[in-house]
Amino acid sequence: MEDIKEPRPEWDVLIGDCVHNLHSALDHLAFQLMVGNTPARRQREFVKSSAFPIYLSSREFGKLRSKGSKKGQPTPDSGLHKLLGVSSLARTIIQGLQPYHRRKNPGTRRLWELRELSNTDKHRLFPLVHSSFELVGFEVVGNVPFALREFESIPGRLKRGAVVARWAYVTAPPRVHMHVKADMVTDITFNKGSRTPHPVRGRSVLETLHGVLTFVSNEVVPPLADELGLAFEFNPGRFVDMRYLPLEEREALLAEFGPTPGHV
């Protein structure tokens, strides 16, 4: 690999802004659910605790006080505490969307990704992002007949000297000159280091953000908007992974939309 360019620094700011807006929208939704279900005289009791809970453990979500005058009530760090004042139906819907249900509903993982990115953006350094690549096709031409053996594509970080692929070859003459034409797509991905939250390490930035947006707009908001008596219509758009498009279609998309980091 030669002539490598890293993502511009603005990516960190833009990604953080997207994450903040998505998480903030859910908190606003939880607040409106509380307001719509609670008499005005009692709303002040729940204002400070109101938020959209995202938990990886059902025990932590539903933790209750075990002693004292408030025994049996939600603890301040529980998910139920954040939903004080909302209707039982809205609470049930939100509880069913928690990431600890991700074995039954894999889509709920998206809220886990959102929570981890949001917490990192607010309290720590935002995860590093970098360019990555994946080989989707290749052509090898030699000066003499040869046969390829044990071909291995090696996707990874786009950096000078990165190995794109490895293979062995078999040929009769002792010397062979090869010319390789590699067909690759590039992307912007989260770093795989410890600074990056576990659920998004090495993941595509655009695919991750689009996945969170799609889950929120298709699975989270509609049933809760119904609870508020509001119509909700939003189309997050189609996500096209260019790795699985024929070369002709990719070239047509690039001609229409301009250079992209691997996705449209």
Side-chain angles (χ1 to χ4, degrees), residues 161-210:
V163 177
V164 177
R166 294 191 184 98
W167 64 81
Y169 64 90
V170 179
T171 183
R175 296 172 63 94
V176 57
H177 300 286
M178 294 184 181
H179 174 72
V180 181
K181 181 180 179 181
D183 180 16
M184 297 185 297
V185 291
T186 57
D187 197 0
I188 304 296
T189 57
F190 291 107
N191 192 283
K192 294 183 179 180
S194 59
R195 176 172 156 180
T196 306
H198 172 71
V200 299
R201 288 179 187 173
R203 298 277 301 277
S204 164
V205 171
L206 296 181
E207 189 275 334
T208 298
L209 294 180
H210 187 270

Side-chain angles (χ1 to χ4, degrees), residues 78-191:
S78 70
L80 292 177
H81 188 72
K82 300 177 188 295
L83 296 176
L84 291 175
V86 307
S87 70
S88 59
L89 176 58
R91 187 165 58 249
T92 299
I93 292 172
I94 293 173
Q95 189 170 2
L97 294 167
Q98 296 303 301
Y100 56 77
H101 291 300
R102 59 189 181 278
R103 286 190 177 181
K104 294 182 178 179
N105 182 1
T108 60
R109 174 191 172 92
R110 296 302 189 175
L111 292 185
W112 178 26
E113 295 169 352
L114 176 61
R115 188 193 76 168
E116 294 301 311
L117 285 172
S118 178
N119 288 344
T120 301
D121 186 40
K122 289 187 294 185
H123 305 299
R124 298 183 290 277
L125 293 173
F126 198 78
L128 293 170
V129 298
H130 56 237
S131 299
S132 63
F133 70 90
E134 182 171 342
L135 185 68
V136 295
F138 71 98
E139 179 182 359
V140 182
V141 179
N143 62 325
V144 294
F146 62 90
L148 295 182
R149 295 285 190 271
E150 302 173 5
F151 181 86
E152 178 187 11
S153 174
I154 308 174
R157 182 175 179 179
L158 192 64
K159 59 183 179 180
R160 184 178 294 276
V163 177
V164 177
R166 294 191 184 98
W167 64 81
Y169 64 90
V170 179
T171 183
R175 296 172 63 94
V176 57
H177 300 286
M178 294 184 181
H179 174 72
V180 181
K181 181 180 179 181
D183 180 16
M184 297 185 297
V185 291
T186 57
D187 197 0
I188 304 296
T189 57
F190 291 107
N191 192 283

Side-chain angles (χ1 to χ4, degrees), residues 65-80:
R65 296 177 187 267
S66 59
K67 57 185 178 180
S69 60
K70 296 184 178 180
K71 182 179 179 180
Q73 296 183 21
T75 61
D77 59 343
S78 70
L80 292 177

